Amino acid sequence: MTWSRRTFLTSLSRTALVLTLDDVLSLAQGSQVPSTPQIGSRPTYDAKPRPAPKGPPSPVAGTPLGVSFLDVARQSGLNAKTIYGGEHKNRYLLETTGCGVAFFDYDHDDWLDIFLVNGSRIEGFPKGQEPFSHLFKNNRDGTFTDVTQKAGLGRSGWGQGCCVGDYNNDGWNDLFVSYYGQNILYRNNGDGTFTDVTAKAGLTQPTTRWNTGCSFLDYDRDGHLDLFVANYIDFDIKTAPLPEAAGCAYKGIQVACGPPGLQGGKNILYRNNGDGTFTDVSEKSGMWETIGTYALSVSVADLDNDGWPDIYVANDSTASTFYQNQKNGTFKDVAIESGIAYSPDGKPQAGMGVSIGDLNRDGLLDIVKTNFAGDTDSLYVNLGGGNFDDHTYLSGLGVNTRFLGWGVGFFDMDNDGWPDLLMSNGHVYPEVEGTNVDAPYAQHKYLYRNLRNGQFEEVTAEAGPGINATAAARGTAFGDFDNDGDIDVAVNCVNSLPQLLRCDSTTGRNWIKIRTVGTKSNRTGIGARILITTQHEPQAKPFVQIDEVRSGGSYFSQNDLRIHFGLDLAAKADVEIHWPSGAIDKLPALAANNLYVIQEGGKLLKTLPMGRIESKTTEPKS
C-alpha cells in the first residue's frame, strides 16, 4: 500500500489512538500528497501554492494604521435591541448562542441594507410584545429606516442565523433565517416585500431542530442554489438538564450546561429541484457520516481547488467538519486527514465562527476559526491538494487566549491588497460579570493587520473606539454600507443594540468591487471565483488576488455579496471570473474605485463610481 499523508491520517481516525502534531509529522515524513483529480469541462485551479508576491514592503509593526472604526449604530437609526436569554443569568444553553446579522441589498440599488435576527427568552412575552427580527433600509445618507413590517419580515422566536441567495433565479436575492424551531425561507417579491414560502418550498421540518449556521451553495453545479443548514443539539427544554441539578459549573460559577453529553444535531442538505422546491438529501449525500457534531457556523468555498464547492463547519467541543465535495452529489468528511479538525496538539476545540480567505496570496484559500475562552483562535494555511497546516502560533494569533470569539472575517481594512482579520468577542456566560475569575461578559474586538509575510500584528488598541468598546458580540458581517470604498462591520449583540462600525480611512489606497450576475450559473453567482491582477511597477511580477462569492459565514451571518479587493496604489485591474458553470470571463484594465456588475458571458451591466454618500432620492447611475 502507498502511504500518503491523507491515507495515513485516515487510518488513525479509525482507531482510538490520539497523537500530537509532532508525532504525526514525524511518522508521516516523506509522504507524497496526491495530485488533485481533473473534473468535467470546468478547469481546475492550480493546486500548487504560488510564491507570495514581492510587492511593497511589509508594514513595520507599530507604524500608523491609517484606519479607524467608529460605532455609528445609534446615529444611523439602528435602534432595535436584540433580546436573547436572560440578561444576568441563564439556565439553558439555548439562552447563550445569540443571533446573526446580514448586509443584504434586498432592493438591488447597490446600497447595503441590514437585517438583524432577533431572539427570545425562556419565560416568553405577552402577546404582541414579542421581539422580532428587523430589516433596515439604507437611506444612502448614512442612515437607515426600519421597514420590517412593510417588508413582511416581523417574525418572533429563537432566531439564529441568516444567509442570502436567489434560490429561484428570478433576479432578486432571497433570505433564509434559521431558528431553534422552524426555519423560514422568505422569497423576495422584488417590490420591497417578502413572502414566507417555507412550506411551499418543502422546507417544513417535522420535528423541532436547533438550526444554526446556513449557506446557499450550488453543490452539484446545476445552476440552482441548494441549501446547507448546520444543527447544534437535539434540544428539548422539557428534558434539558438544569445547572443546579446536573452540577454544571464554569470555574466555580454555576452556569447553563454545555453540549458535552447531550445528543448532537444532524446537519441538513437540501437539494434545489429547480421548480421552487427542495428535497432533503442529508443522509444520501453523506452529511451524517462525520465525527464532529454540535455544529454552529459554516463557510463554503472550493478549498481543494478542484472546481467544486466544499463545506467547512465550526463545531462546539468536538472536531470540526470538512465536507469535501465528491463531485457525484455526495460529500466526505476529511477534516482529520486535511489537518483542520483539531488544535495543533490533537485536541478538540469549541469552534464558534469561521471565515475563508487567501491570507498569503498564494492562490489557495485559508481558514480562520474562533474558539472558546482559554484557547487561541485557529488559523489554517492551505498547502494545496486539500491539506492544511495550523499556523496559529506562527502567524501571531496565538498571543490571545483570554476572550471568547464569535463572528470573524478576513477583510482588507486598509486596501493594501492583503486580507486582515477581525474577531468579535463576548463571553457565553453572563454570570461571569462582576467576578474576578475570568474575562468580563462584554469584551472588545481583536483586530490584526496582515504583515504580508504570513504573520499578523494585533492593532486593536490603535483601531478606534468602535473596536475597543466592549460588547457581548455574536453575529458579525462585513460590507461597505456607505459606499466609500472601505469595509465596515455590523455586529449583532446579546441583549443590546447592534454595533455598526464605520471604517474611516486615510490611506488613499484604491480598490475595486465586483457584483456577479449568473446566467447559466445561479443568478447570484454564488461559487464564482474572482481573480484580480494588478501591476504596481513596470518590471514587477503582477499581483494576483482571489476570492469567491459566498453565502453565509462568520458567525450565523451574511457578508456583502459584492466582492471587494484593495488595490493599493494600482489605478486599474484585470478581472477574471470563473463561474460555477465552467465559463470564464476576462475583463482587462478596469479602472479602480468603481463597482462593476458583471453578467456571466462578460457583459458589463453597470459601472458605479463610489466613494461618496448620495441623497435619499438620488438613484445610483448605471
Side-chain angles (χ1 to χ4, degrees):
M1 178 179 181
T2 301
W3 285 91
S4 68
R5 179 176 186 266
R6 176 158 294 178
T7 55
F8 172 75
L9 289 172
T10 301
S11 72
L12 293 183
S13 69
R14 297 193 184 106
T15 74
L17 181 63
V18 177
L19 301 181
T20 67
L21 180 62
D22 291 339
D23 295 330
V24 171
L25 293 179
S26 176
L27 288 169
Q29 188 175 10
S31 61
Q32 297 297 314
V33 177
S35 60
T36 304
Q38 297 295 310
I39 59 169
S41 61
R42 184 179 184 184
T44 56
Y45 308 113
D46 181 5
K48 297 180 180 179
R50 296 190 298 266
K54 295 180 180 180
S58 300
V60 178
T63 57
L65 193 58
V67 298
S68 180
F69 292 86
L70 180 67
D71 184 2
V72 296
R74 311 303 184 267
Q75 67 196 61
S76 70
L78 298 183
N79 55 8
K81 180 178 179 179
T82 294
I83 303 298
Y84 207 93
E87 300 209 16
H88 306 291
K89 181 177 178 58
N90 292 326
R91 305 185 73 196
Y92 298 99
L93 190 61
L94 177 61
E95 301 177 81
T96 65
T97 54
C99 305
V101 56
F103 272 128
F104 173 30
D105 181 16
Y106 78 98
D107 50 3
H108 287 209
D109 64 353
D110 282 304
W111 289 82
L112 291 180
D113 312 297
I114 295 176
F115 179 76
L116 290 160
V117 183
N118 215 326
S120 189
R121 290 191 174 133
I122 295 296
E123 61 270 24
F125 293 85
K127 188 173 179 58
Q129 298 182 29
E130 303 92 344
F132 51 83
S133 300
H134 289 265
L135 176 65
F136 288 90
K137 177 177 170 53
N138 193 326
N139 299 323
R140 309 179 194 167
D141 61 357
T143 69
F144 293 81
T145 298
D146 191 332
V147 295
T148 307
Q149 297 304 330
K150 177 182 177 181
L153 297 177
R155 184 196 161 175
S156 61
W158 289 98
Q160 296 289 278
C162 55
C163 52
V164 172
D166 185 358
Y167 83 95
N168 56 357
N169 285 336
D170 67 351
W172 296 91
N173 283 326
D174 309 295
L175 175 67
F176 181 84
V177 186
S178 63
Y179 280 84
Y180 167 67
Q182 177 58 55
N183 299 323
I184 295 292
L185 175 62
Y186 292 107
R187 185 188 66 211
N188 191 333
N189 298 321
D191 59 0
T193 68
F194 293 79
T195 299
D196 179 351
V197 294
T198 310
K200 183 178 180 180
L203 297 178
T204 302
Q205 296 174 329
T207 60
T208 297
R209 290 181 176 269
W210 191 339
N211 307 279
T212 51
C214 63
S215 177
F216 286 104
L217 74 160
D218 186 3
Y219 76 90
D220 51 4
R221 289 176 25 191
D222 65 352
H224 301 284
L225 286 178
D226 313 298
L227 178 63
F228 178 86
V229 185
N231 267 248
Y232 192 33
I233 291 169
D234 289 341
F235 180 84
D236 185 346
I237 198 169
K238 296 178 182 178
T239 59
L242 291 170
E244 55 268 28
C248 297
Y250 176 77
K251 296 188 177 182
I253 303 173
Q254 190 178 81
V255 297
C257 297
L262 301 178
Q263 182 63 45
K266 297 288 189 181
N267 296 331
I268 307 171
L269 181 66
Y270 296 103
R271 183 180 185 274
N272 192 324
N273 299 320
D275 60 359
T277 67
F278 293 82
T279 298
D280 187 337
V281 295
S282 308
E283 189 169 11
K284 177 182 177 182
S285 64
M287 288 290 130
W288 295 354
E289 298 175 6
T290 66
I291 295 175
T293 184
Y294 308 140
L296 287 173
S297 298
V298 54
S299 193
V300 175
D302 181 7
L303 291 171
D304 53 6
N305 274 11
D306 66 354
W308 295 75
D310 309 299
I311 305 170
Y312 184 75
V313 184
N315 295 323
D316 188 0
S317 305
T318 186
S320 298
T321 302
F322 174 22
Y323 292 110
Q324 188 180 54
N325 196 322
Q326 302 300 297
K327 317 179 192 76
N328 60 2
T330 68
F331 291 82
K332 182 180 179 182
D333 178 15
V334 296
I336 293 178
E337 303 96 301
S338 297
I340 49 179
Y342 298 116
S343 68
D345 55 355
K347 295 179 180 179
Q349 297 174 291
M352 303 295 174
V354 60
S355 182
I356 292 174
D358 184 7
L359 72 91
N360 52 7
R361 290 179 39 167
D362 64 353
L364 302 171
L365 292 171
D366 311 298
I367 302 171
V368 63
K369 176 170 65 75
T370 53
N371 296 308
F372 200 83
D375 193 359
T376 67
D377 295 318
S378 299
L379 185 68
Y380 301 107
V381 171
N382 196 330
L383 303 178
N387 294 282
F388 294 77
D389 263 355
D390 190 315
H391 278 219
T392 303
Y393 291 97
L394 292 173
S395 68
L397 298 190
V399 298
N400 288 313
T401 62
R402 187 165 178 247
F403 287 174
L404 195 161
W406 300 90
V408 59
F410 282 112
F411 77 123
D412 188 358
M413 66 176 171
D414 50 9
N415 283 333
D416 67 349
W418 295 81
D420 309 295
L421 274 173
L422 180 141
M423 289 86 166
S424 289
N425 303 307
H427 214 292
V428 70
Y429 303 125
E431 292 87 352
V432 303
E433 192 64 35
T435 71
N436 296 319
V437 301
D438 206 2
Y441 186 59
Q443 301 173 356
H444 63 69
K445 313 285 185 290
Y446 287 146
L447 184 66
Y448 298 93
R449 172 167 56 181
N450 192 327
L451 295 180
R452 311 175 192 168
N453 59 3
Q455 296 181 326
F456 289 85
E457 172 196 10
E458 189 192 344
V459 292
T460 303
E462 295 79 40
I467 299 297
N468 286 276
T470 60
R474 295 295 189 266
T476 305
F478 298 80
D480 185 1
F481 84 89
D482 52 2
N483 279 351
D484 66 350
D486 48 42
I487 302 299
D488 312 299
V489 185
V491 185
N492 204 343
C493 304
V494 175
N495 291 315
S496 178
L497 294 172
Q499 295 176 306
L500 182 60
L501 310 183
R502 188 186 68 205
C503 179
D504 296 327
S505 175
T506 59
T507 67
R509 297 188 178 117
N510 297 325
W511 51 270
I512 195 171
K513 292 184 195 293
I514 306 296
R515 177 160 67 84
T516 53
V517 179
T519 52
K520 186 176 180 181
S521 302
N522 69 86
R523 186 67 67 90
T524 312
I526 288 171
R529 177 170 288 200
I530 304 173
L531 292 81
I532 299 291
T533 303
T534 52
Q535 191 83 34
H536 293 269
E537 297 177 10
Q539 304 302 320
K541 185 178 180 180
F543 273 30
V544 181
Q545 301 179 61
I546 69 167
D547 205 352
E548 292 181 356
V549 184
R550 61 180 62 94
S551 170
S554 183
Y555 178 78
F556 292 4
S557 296
Q558 174 68 58
N559 297 326
D560 188 353
L561 285 165
R562 307 173 303 178
I563 306 302
H564 177 103
F565 296 93
L567 302 181
D568 200 20
L569 300 180
K572 59 184 178 180
D574 297 333
V575 176
E576 183 174 316
I577 304 177
H578 292 242
W579 298 89
S581 67
I584 299 176
D585 291 327
K586 298 181 180 181
L587 293 88
L590 296 184
N593 303 329
N594 289 290
L595 164 69
Y596 295 95
V597 182
I598 302 173
Q599 186 179 74
E600 187 173 9
K603 183 178 181 180
L604 192 57
L605 298 181
K606 179 191 290 187
T607 300
L608 179 62
M610 298 169 70
R612 54 189 165 79
I613 290 288
E614 294 193 0
S615 69
K616 295 183 181 181
T617 57
T618 304
E619 290 295 327
K621 298 178 181 179
S622 298

